[in-house]
Amino acid sequence: MANRIKRYAKKTFLALDNRYNSVKKVYPNSIDYISEENGFYLGVKEVRVIPESFITELNQLGYIYHTVDKASLSGRAIDLELINPLTGNYMTGSSSGTALNVFLGINDVGIGTDGGGSVLAPAICLNLYGFIHPRLGKKHQVNEELKVSTDGIPFSPSIGLISKELDHITKIMTKFFEISSLPNISIGIDNKALQEAAKLTENEYRSTLIGMDDKYTKDRRGLIVDLEHYLSTFDLVISKEGPVDLNGVGDSIYGHFSDFTKKKQNIANKGFIRVANMVGAITLTVPSSDLSVGYVLMTKKESVIPHFLIIGKLLSSGTDELVNRYFGDLSKYFELGI
């Protein structure tokens, strides 16, 4: 058996083993569609809102439906049934299993849903790429799902993507959206990202530093006002966020009890990822070299998306070899059998 097919067989073995309890269902026959040249594995969050016809289109693009992924109960922002392998803390939700199955190498791409950070936050906490777009997969939906957040804000969830590789997100974006590039874009960037701003300037992007110091302590309504202002002022906004759910518990149910629990919620360092979907922003998260820290790129202009991909590569820290050594070699899971 060829090497690539062997590797994908081990992905299915790991899904069946379900070491981290992140898999609800496995389709072992997915291996039939994997060759030495083509085919990637796709995981799908266990929610009704993701249309089967959208999954079918991804299958036709070469992303083969491999697993149904566990989601946190009631869309909660943390998942008390799953553990983050990097931090040992409860896994960030609600697309918790979807992000985990990408991180573990079970799937190449995961499809989740994001209301108030449910794709973006799990991606950042595992140093993965995350992407949401208010129109992604929506042409397949008969009825738009409307929800209300725990803090009383109505929203419609976006469908989003999680991957270790920006190239997968690029391939899917270019399949579903005809994008023409907007030249000479203006960028508003977090003043905590001085080195990153310098890197953008070196590559001839016009960037302006913005003070975003209160993004972790403001409530969602205040963040929505701020982000709407930034997005009307700049073509692209970049916020450096995290470490997500490392030092605190970024969950509004936990945080509403007292000043102490609210403080613990705030130091979970979830900023504009809590409202990006609520304002209808097209958003890409790019992992940094710091644990559970990422760059959040937001725009309302599809013509800015090509710059997402360029800037994503500029900001990317590349593969973490130590993490890859511990979690990337699937053979290690089966040395003593299952």
Side-chain angles (χ1 to χ4, degrees):
M1 189 185 293
N3 286 334
R4 188 170 188 270
I5 297 173
K6 286 181 181 178
R7 181 158 56 87
Y8 274 78
K10 288 177 182 177
K11 288 173 178 278
T12 299
F13 296 160
L14 187 56
L16 291 166
D17 178 58
N18 200 15
R19 191 73 53 97
Y20 287 86
N21 300 312
S22 53
V23 178
K24 298 293 287 187
K25 189 173 185 177
V26 186
Y27 297 100
N29 288 344
S30 298
I31 194 70
D32 293 341
Y33 300 93
I34 302 295
S35 70
E36 274 302 290
E37 296 80 27
N38 298 304
F40 300 97
Y41 275 166
L42 177 73
V44 179
K45 181 180 180 180
E46 188 188 26
V47 288
R48 291 192 300 268
V49 70
I50 300 172
E52 289 186 15
S53 53
F54 176 59
I55 298 169
T56 299
E57 278 203 82
L58 289 173
N59 290 170
Q60 293 167 351
L61 192 60
Y63 294 94
I64 311 304
Y65 195 1
H66 184 223
T67 64
V68 177
D69 305 321
K70 184 190 177 303
S72 67
L73 180 66
S74 297
R76 193 174 178 185
I78 55 170
D79 192 330
L80 302 183
E81 298 177 289
L82 301 183
I83 298 297
N84 182 321
L86 291 175
T87 67
N89 296 339
Y90 290 126
M91 183 60 198
T92 303
S94 65
S95 303
S96 46
T98 300
L100 262 176
N101 291 338
V102 169
F103 174 80
L104 295 170
I106 291 171
N107 297 315
D108 300 288
V109 174
I111 306 177
T113 57
D114 190 300
S118 294
V119 164
L120 305 177
I124 292 177
C125 83
L126 290 172
N127 291 84
L128 303 170
Y129 291 95
F131 176 76
I132 61 171
H133 190 304
R135 292 199 297 114
L136 183 64
K138 289 299 177 76
K139 73 175 185 179
H140 301 277
Q141 290 182 334
V142 177
N143 296 307
E144 187 173 28
E145 184 179 40
L146 295 175
K147 292 188 173 183
V148 177
S149 69
T150 51
D151 36 13
I153 300 173
F155 66 91
S156 176
S158 288
I159 292 174
L161 308 171
I162 300 174
S163 182
K164 284 185 181 180
E165 299 178 39
L166 185 56
D167 286 348
H168 287 305
I169 292 174
T170 301
K171 182 178 178 182
I172 294 170
M173 278 197 293
T174 53
K175 162 67 177 176
F176 289 102
F177 303 106
E178 294 182 9
I179 302 163
S180 59
S181 182
L182 177 71
N184 303 317
I185 66 168
S186 61
I187 302 174
I189 186 168
D190 193 342
N191 62 3
K192 299 295 184 183
L194 290 172
Q195 291 181 333
E196 293 84 351
K199 188 179 290 188
L200 295 179
T201 303
E202 289 170 9
N203 287 270
E204 301 183 347
Y205 281 106
R206 296 180 291 115
S207 60
T208 301
L209 291 173
I210 306 173
M212 300 180 178
D213 297 338
D214 56 358
K215 63 188 171 189
Y216 301 135
T217 56
K218 273 194 174 180
D219 64 18
R220 275 200 174 108
R221 296 182 191 279
L223 285 178
I224 287 172
V225 171
D226 287 350
L227 186 54
E228 290 281 19
H229 170 69
Y230 295 149
L231 290 171
S232 65
T233 305
F234 302 99
D235 299 313
L236 172 63
V237 176
I238 302 176
S239 173
K240 189 175 184 180
E241 305 201 0
V244 168
D245 284 341
L246 180 63
N247 301 312
V249 182
D251 173 65
S252 54
I253 297 174
Y254 176 89
H256 89 282
F257 284 101
S258 65
D259 289 342
F260 171 78
T261 58
K262 187 64 178 178
K263 182 177 179 180
K264 291 285 286 184
Q265 180 187 351
N266 291 343
I267 62 174
N269 290 351
K270 294 176 179 176
F272 290 110
I273 54 175
R274 290 183 283 149
V275 299
N277 170 70
M278 292 178 174
V279 304
I282 304 164
T283 307
L284 174 71
T285 63
V286 178
S288 76
S289 58
D290 293 332
L291 175 61
S292 299
V293 175
Y295 306 101
V296 186
L297 284 60
M298 297 167 283
T299 186
K300 286 196 173 183
K301 301 175 180 178
E302 284 196 358
S303 54
V304 172
I305 290 178
H307 297 284
F308 270 24
L309 310 178
I310 296 168
I311 293 170
K313 290 179 180 177
L314 287 174
L315 297 180
S316 175
S317 302
T319 303
D320 188 309
E321 293 301 330
L322 184 60
V323 171
N324 194 50
R325 193 190 322 157
Y326 270 82
F327 297 100
D329 183 358
L330 301 185
S331 299
K332 290 182 177 178
Y333 287 96
F334 309 115
E335 288 176 347
L336 299 178
I338 295 179

